[in-house]
Amino acid sequence: MADQVRVAVVGTGYFGRFHADHYTRNPRAQLVAVVDTDHERAKAVAGEFGAEAATDFRSIIGRVDAASVAVPTPLHYDIARALIEADIHVLVEKPLTDSVESGRTLAKLAETRKAVLQVGHIERYSSAYRTLAKIIADPLYFESYRIAPWKNRGVEVDVILDLMIHDIDMIIGLVDSPVAQVDAVGTPVLGKRIDLANARITFESGCIANVTASRVSYKTERRMRVFARNQYLSCDLGEGRISGYRLRGDPMVDGLAAIATETYEIEKQDSLANEIDAFLDCVITGRKPMVDGQAGCEALRVASMINACIEEHLKRVQDALGHSAPGALKA
């Protein structure tokens, strides 16, 4: 591998432009090209970051070592597969693909070709997540709440794959136990797909996570509460603040003195910069990504279980009402 990894970005929309920016800033990367079917948009981003503009992702084959895939989710599989087959390492924006089957196929292909396949679950690269991973032991219960105003971006998938999957992946990483059961409800609100969802995820360890996501809100919030043995944590993921309590004695003997208040100062970091630097490191060293194809598939599998529960629940509602409920069941 040369001193710099030759990279390209496929898809120059909202996230794609940020990928291009961070590759340009990283001394381990050389941004060769940006690709978008909208030639004017590709030209604009290419001009901003001093790269070549292209409209066909196949034009980068043989010219780059690695690429970010930041196109709409339904296109992830075909583009990432073609790049991996051409021996190009790939960072795919979350979710990995739009189905568990295609995700597993892609993960298996990367393993066979010995290619780096990293999934862009950006919260795993945040300083807040890294702090939580260090201080949580044997969690018992999670409560996460992720809401945002309506945007036209990302509506090609439901809110589970758009927003909730961030928390699904984070919690899976923190619990480190297989998912045993899922119960969920949800509904379309403004769009044709599910815009509001709540899921109860039970792990084999006995830990339970109650996860809520909505893209129909007046404000943006990303919060998580964690209960563990002798420990409680309240996390504002948006602001990067973690505080809570830890038991350090017997409350029946020592009263409130047995309960210590804890506050963790979270260093302000650019999570996408961390994610891209980790990807480049894996390309250079051959290390396994923290969120590899298998991890991306597991988050996708749990999201699929949630969707199946919601579809079943909506069907029961329709049957009970004797007519079709508003919105669509199918993704």
Side-chain angles (χ1 to χ4, degrees), residues 196-208:
L196 168 68
N198 173 264
R200 181 180 176 88
I201 305 169
T202 302
F203 294 85
E204 290 184 5
S205 66
C207 181
I208 292 174

Side-chain angles (χ1 to χ4, degrees), residues 10-262:
V10 183
T12 58
Y14 182 77
F15 280 109
R17 183 191 168 277
F18 288 141
H19 278 247
D21 183 19
H22 283 340
Y23 281 128
T24 304
R25 294 170 183 266
N26 194 302
R28 299 201 282 183
Q30 176 194 355
L31 182 63
V32 173
V34 296
V35 184
D36 200 290
T37 54
D38 184 330
H39 184 55
E40 291 305 313
R41 188 162 62 187
K43 279 176 58 180
V45 175
E48 185 177 1
F49 299 113
E52 176 188 322
T55 56
D56 187 344
F57 75 89
R58 296 171 187 83
S59 67
I60 67 174
I61 292 174
R63 303 174 55 219
V64 300
D65 309 300
S68 283
V69 175
V71 297
T73 302
L75 302 176
H76 283 188
Y77 174 74
D78 287 338
I79 293 175
R81 182 195 62 192
L83 294 177
I84 291 171
E85 287 176 342
D87 296 323
I88 294 173
H89 304 287
V90 176
L91 167 57
V92 183
E93 264 297 342
K94 66 81 193 167
L96 176 56
T97 62
D98 59 359
S99 75
V100 178
E101 181 181 2
S102 62
R104 286 174 174 162
T105 300
L106 200 59
K108 181 63 177 176
L109 176 64
E111 183 181 343
T112 301
R113 304 285 301 200
K114 294 182 170 50
V116 173
L117 173 58
Q118 181 172 311
V119 187
H121 285 286
I122 193 170
E123 294 284 13
R124 289 265 209 132
Y125 298 91
S126 68
S127 52
Y129 176 85
R130 293 178 179 183
T131 302
L132 285 172
K134 290 178 183 177
I135 62 179
I136 293 176
D138 301 322
L140 301 172
Y141 180 76
F142 286 84
E143 186 174 76
S144 73
Y145 188 67
R146 185 177 295 260
I147 64 172
W150 174 267
K151 300 182 181 72
N152 286 332
R153 174 173 51 83
V155 294
E156 73 274 2
V157 295
D158 53 53
V159 74
I160 297 94
L161 291 182
D162 182 21
L163 297 181
M164 185 183 282
I165 200 163
H166 283 297
D167 297 308
I168 293 170
D169 176 69
M170 284 181 68
I171 292 168
I172 287 173
L174 292 168
V175 176
D176 194 25
S177 172
V179 171
Q181 182 180 340
V182 165
D183 296 291
V185 293
T187 186
V189 180
L190 299 180
K192 295 181 179 180
R193 305 176 193 277
I194 302 299
D195 295 319
L196 168 68
N198 173 264
R200 181 180 176 88
I201 305 169
T202 302
F203 294 85
E204 290 184 5
S205 66
C207 181
I208 292 174
N210 187 39
V211 186
T212 298
S214 170
R215 55 189 181 192
V216 186
S217 173
Y218 284 110
K219 59 183 177 179
T220 297
E221 284 190 17
R222 295 182 289 143
R223 296 182 180 273
M224 181 178 290
R225 297 199 300 162
V226 188
F227 297 82
R229 192 74 62 190
N230 302 327
Q231 184 183 31
Y232 162 73
L233 295 169
S234 177
C235 318
D236 187 327
L237 298 171
E239 296 297 324
R241 292 196 300 263
I242 300 176
S243 58
Y245 302 108
R246 186 183 295 273
L247 194 64
R248 62 182 183 184
D250 186 347
M252 302 304 294
V253 176
D254 304 319
L256 290 177
I259 303 172
T261 301
E262 298 181 325

